[in-house]
Amino acid sequence: MIVPPGSTIGIIGGGQLGRMMALAAARLGYRCHIFDPHEAPCAAEVSAEFTRGAFDDEAALARFADACDVVTYEFENVPVGPIAALGDKLRPGTRSLEIAQDRAVEKRFLEGAGARVAAWREVGSVEQLDAAVAALGVPLVLKSRRLGYDGKGQAWVRDPAEARSAWDSIGNAPAVAEAGVAFEAEFSVLIARTHDGQTRAFPPPRNVHSDGILCHSTVPAGQPIEAMAETAIATAATLADALDHVGMFTVEFFACADGALVNEIAPRVHNSGHWTIEGAVTSQFEQHVRAICGLALGSADLVADGAVMDNLIGGDVDAWAAILAAPDASLHLYHKGEARPGRKMGHVTRLK
Ligand code: AMP
């Protein structure tokens, strides 16, 4: 299915990823239509149309989809049931969503596809958490199976006595316990896949997190990441193939002394790819639009020696005027309203 410029792209979710996707789509002559439950999502103000509706409102989603030529999503916590009927109009499909929205299902999928992950256990009670602590040792990190992002729904257990409070802090929700990984660095593979199985990956960025939230992404990533990049890109392509994924697909890795471990997947564009807007021939957002519309993929090559992306989290955004005054900084503000702590308000990219 080719969706030519001039068509309408539906985007489920109206956050900053949808906003940057809509801006990239507009440059290629597409109209975007946002579906989101909030009153004024930041993607809607740069898009041609906006439908306010709940993600589980099947009738509203059906009317929205009827008004679009192709439908995509910018985050993974969308219930699968109401959008399953969209069939090939939904790109990526529901399989990518189903896998990415449950950490236990995701880990089984990763292992089944031959990817290496940290040792883990499914946890449904404090007794099972105690058993996981005994089997995996400490430190370990407890992550709720569903609805986690940016380190939310996570608790570290650094001493077996902390198990009960960790379990309570994630709300006694079904979870996975993961062995703490003593990684040397973190990186991600951002890869696009077309409906006929072609793939193209960006140079993998080195990512630095604080409290589970991405702070900085840098390309080139340096060692030991660059030595692992080829294998990691092959792993990401295998995973995208296994899901018959169409669009951008992101795999987050831990770079360890004995090679790379997969942390998690995201069936979408990703914060660690924001540097591609200025730093690559084609941005991750345009690449996603190209892939879901059945167009040729663009070059993923760097346009400079490198790029650094810094997130503006919470009050960081107050420095916008000083950032703008620097000649080498490309500033992106998402217009999300209140700068609450931990909230991603914008980012800045500098080329090297
Ligand atoms: P996640 O939401 O699973 O991507 O986790 C957010 C961040 O927490 C990761 O990027 C790591 O910095 C850290 N983290 C998550 N899981 C582990 C782990 N098993 N071992 C060490 N650090 C972790």
Side-chain angles (χ1 to χ4, degrees), residues 103 141 143 154 156 178-179 181 183 186 209 254 263-264:
R103 290 190 188 268
V141 56
K143 301 180 179 179
Q154 300 192 10
W156 280 88
E178 256 178 60
V181 176
F183 54 77
E186 293 187 80
H209 295 80
F254 298 125
N263 173 22
E264 63 177 0

Side-chain angles (χ1 to χ4, degrees), residues 52-129:
R52 186 176 184 191
F55 293 135
D56 58 0
D57 184 340
E58 264 177 71
L61 275 164
R63 280 195 302 277
F64 154 77
D66 277 348
C68 300
D69 298 295
V70 64
V71 174
T72 190
Y73 41 86
E74 57 113 50
F75 81 133
E76 51 270 38
N77 292 324
V78 182
V80 170
I83 53 175
L86 298 184
D88 187 44
K89 201 174 196 181
L90 183 72
R91 293 180 167 190
T94 51
R95 181 151 163 71
S96 298
L97 265 184
E98 271 166 343
I99 299 290
Q101 56 188 215
D102 182 322
R103 290 190 188 268
V105 173
E106 177 182 343
K107 295 222 183 274
R108 278 193 284 272
F109 163 73
L110 291 169
E111 289 176 331
R116 295 175 66 222
V117 298
W120 68 285
R121 292 285 186 282
E122 226 176 293
V123 170
S125 65
V126 75
E127 291 74 26
Q128 284 179 351
L129 178 56

Side-chain angles (χ1 to χ4, degrees), residues 295-320:
L295 314 183
L297 294 179
S299 164
D301 290 348
L302 291 174
V303 297
D305 290 341
V308 180
M309 188 285 311
D310 298 316
N311 265 343
L312 301 175
I313 298 169
D316 294 349
V317 73
D318 296 339
W320 62 267

Side-chain angles (χ1 to χ4, degrees), residues 21 78 149 180 209 232 262 280:
M21 200 183 287
V78 182
Y149 70 99
H209 295 80
V262 174

